[in-house]
Amino acid sequence: MTYMTSPEIEPLVERTAAASACGQLSGAIMSRKLKIPFRTTVSVLLLLLSLNVVVMMYLLISCRPTKKEEHKINTEKIRVLCWIPSMKERLDRVRAVNETWLARCDGHVFFINNVKPNFSDDVVVSPIMGEGRKMLSRKVKDAMEYVYDYHGSDYDWFLKADDDSYIVMENLKFLLSHYDPSQAVYLGHPLKWLSPGGYMQGGAGYVLSRTALQTFVVNGTKGKACQFELFFDGEDHYVGACLHKLGVPKHNTLDRHGRETFHSLNPVTHISGPIPSTQLVQDHFTMVAGDECCSELTISFHWVDAGLMRTIEHLLYKTSVYGRQVNVEKFKDFIQPGTLAPPYTYIPALEIVVPPKRWK
């Protein structure tokens, strides 16, 4: 819907008043209150009718959105909760996240073990004893149950990001506008190893729709369909494997040029290279460095430390290029929504750990 400002409304009111005056004059003539010859009366009535038609057509045209506005998608009603697991040794990153991209989420929660930082009230102190990646899968399981129990009906989408992820929320909401949160939707950067269904890489951030989160918690973790190993560090693998078992498909996040929107490495590596060989083996799609690395509407990067996080924030939101304008019309059909087929072959963990049999 297009809303008009005060300068646009004033001439509109004047034109409406003019049309009303024409209507009153027509009524006066028809009631013969004005003594005018019959032929003149007919001519005046035809003239007034023509003016009324012209005015009404002008009003209709002036109220239509311009061509540039026709393809602009309103993302204000898309509500995203962002949740980030961390630990007390990484509070510098938590502070950087809190001071940069997190402010553009509609709600957020940090999950940190045994400490509550003084710079954010939205912190849940995890009851899990111990720190490190070996505890991450259990922490994420508990966090997702907490998010569902306390926020499941308040938001449309739920983004899990790391404390070294950077998220461009406006671009994420544009992607989400192509999907329905009442359907089971799972989005992110797809990998093809460890699980036959593949999974979304955790550091790039992954997103669950309201329905996908409900399925994961109610049927998966609380329903005992998915059992989490306490000392396994692949939380993103376990989430993806559980969702695959529950029939929640992965969905496309590529743009129409085949470029990625979620990125599992930092921007320097994606742009300048080289891409690590292990990443090339794991990725669902073939990762490339250089100009074709990243979508124009990129959503995330990973391995972003506190300094780089603030640098990206400054370049994106506090720096302008004089004379540059964005034509939103070019983003029509920019995203190709749909589900991803499971990888034709998946690669079991090489020298890390063999996936549990229950996920096969």
Side-chain angles (χ1 to χ4, degrees):
M1 180 179 292
T2 303
Y3 296 94
M4 291 181 288
T5 60
S6 296
E8 295 172 320
I9 291 174
E10 290 176 0
L12 182 58
V13 172
E14 293 175 359
R15 293 193 298 268
T16 305
S20 177
C22 290
Q24 292 174 4
L25 181 56
S26 300
I29 293 172
M30 292 297 293
S31 63
R32 301 300 180 102
K33 291 181 180 179
L34 296 179
K35 296 180 180 180
I36 302 175
F38 179 75
R39 290 184 179 179
T40 305
T41 300
V42 172
S43 300
V44 171
L45 286 174
L46 290 175
L47 175 62
L48 292 175
L49 180 61
S50 301
L51 287 174
N52 270 309
V53 171
V54 170
V55 170
M56 293 306 298
M57 289 183 63
Y58 180 79
L59 290 176
L60 289 172
I61 293 172
S62 64
C63 290
R64 290 183 59 192
T66 64
K67 188 175 181 180
K68 289 185 178 180
E69 293 174 326
E70 287 178 353
H71 304 304
K72 186 174 182 180
I73 297 175
N74 182 7
T75 61
E76 293 180 359
K77 293 184 178 180
I78 298 174
R79 293 182 55 75
V80 179
L81 176 75
C82 305
W83 61 275
I84 303 98
S86 188
M87 51 188 177
K88 60 184 178 182
E89 289 80 7
R90 300 175 68 159
L91 290 184
D92 60 325
R93 298 185 183 187
V94 173
R95 184 186 293 273
V97 168
N98 191 63
E99 292 175 356
T100 55
W101 63 266
L102 199 69
R104 289 177 284 276
C105 299
D106 298 291
H108 67 269
V109 184
F110 289 105
F111 293 90
I112 306 175
N113 287 7
N114 305 317
V115 65
K116 190 174 180 69
N118 57 12
F119 52 78
S120 177
D121 294 329
D122 298 295
V123 175
V124 175
V125 179
S126 175
I128 301 173
M129 300 301 294
E131 293 282 12
R133 287 182 56 82
K134 288 188 176 182
M135 309 301 295
L136 188 55
S137 62
R138 177 65 182 276
K139 180 186 288 186
V140 165
K141 167 190 173 294
D142 290 350
M144 292 181 79
E145 290 180 355
Y146 176 93
V147 167
Y148 174 74
D149 289 341
Y150 291 93
H151 302 287
S153 61
D154 299 329
Y155 298 90
D156 306 307
W157 302 92
F158 300 86
L159 165 71
K160 180 268 174 183
D162 284 355
D163 55 19
D164 58 354
S165 306
Y166 187 92
I167 308 294
V168 184
M169 184 53 59
E170 295 88 344
N171 293 348
L172 173 59
K173 287 192 173 185
F174 177 77
L175 170 69
L176 296 178
S177 70
H178 295 77
Y179 289 101
D180 182 356
S182 68
Q183 302 296 316
V185 180
Y186 176 35
L187 299 160
H189 179 88
L191 301 182
K192 64 183 179 183
W193 75 334
L194 288 176
S195 170
Y199 64 98
M200 301 301 187
Q201 202 265 354
Y206 53 80
V207 183
L208 298 182
S209 65
R210 181 174 58 247
T211 301
L213 176 66
Q214 179 181 10
T215 302
F216 179 86
V217 173
V218 174
N219 301 336
T221 62
K222 292 185 177 183
K224 307 301 182 183
C226 304
Q227 299 295 313
F228 278 65
E229 296 291 341
L230 180 59
F231 294 105
F232 187 83
D233 66 353
E235 56 85 15
D236 44 6
H237 156 232
Y238 268 84
V239 170
C242 178
L243 291 170
H244 177 69
K245 183 177 182 180
L246 296 170
V248 176
K250 301 189 304 300
H251 286 71
N252 181 50
T253 57
L254 298 180
D255 67 19
R256 67 166 170 246
H257 304 293
R259 298 170 183 157
E260 304 245 24
T261 54
F262 288 79
H263 304 286
S264 57
L265 305 174
N266 67 54
V268 176
T269 303
H270 278 290
I271 295 169
S272 300
I275 304 297
S277 58
T278 54
Q279 195 72 41
L280 294 173
V281 171
Q282 297 175 31
D283 265 34
H284 185 107
F285 301 107
T286 302
M287 185 181 293
V288 297
D291 292 343
E292 297 299 312
C293 75
C294 312
S295 173
E296 190 174 353
L297 294 181
T298 279
I299 291 169
S300 71
F301 287 108
H302 186 213
W303 301 115
V304 179
D305 61 28
L308 181 55
M309 195 170 296
R310 291 188 173 94
T311 301
I312 296 174
E313 178 80 5
H314 187 95
L315 292 174
L316 286 179
Y317 296 96
K318 298 180 180 179
T319 302
S320 300
V321 177
Y322 180 77
R324 176 183 292 173
Q325 296 181 346
V326 177
N327 179 10
V328 297
E329 189 177 2
K330 71 177 180 178
F331 296 123
K332 180 185 178 183
D333 301 324
F334 193 74
I335 300 296
Q336 308 295 316
T339 58
L340 290 179
Y344 293 107
T345 59
Y346 84 99
I347 303 172
L350 303 178
E351 297 180 356
I352 302 177
V353 65
V354 177
K357 292 183 179 180
R358 63 172 167 272
W359 297 120
K360 293 184 179 180

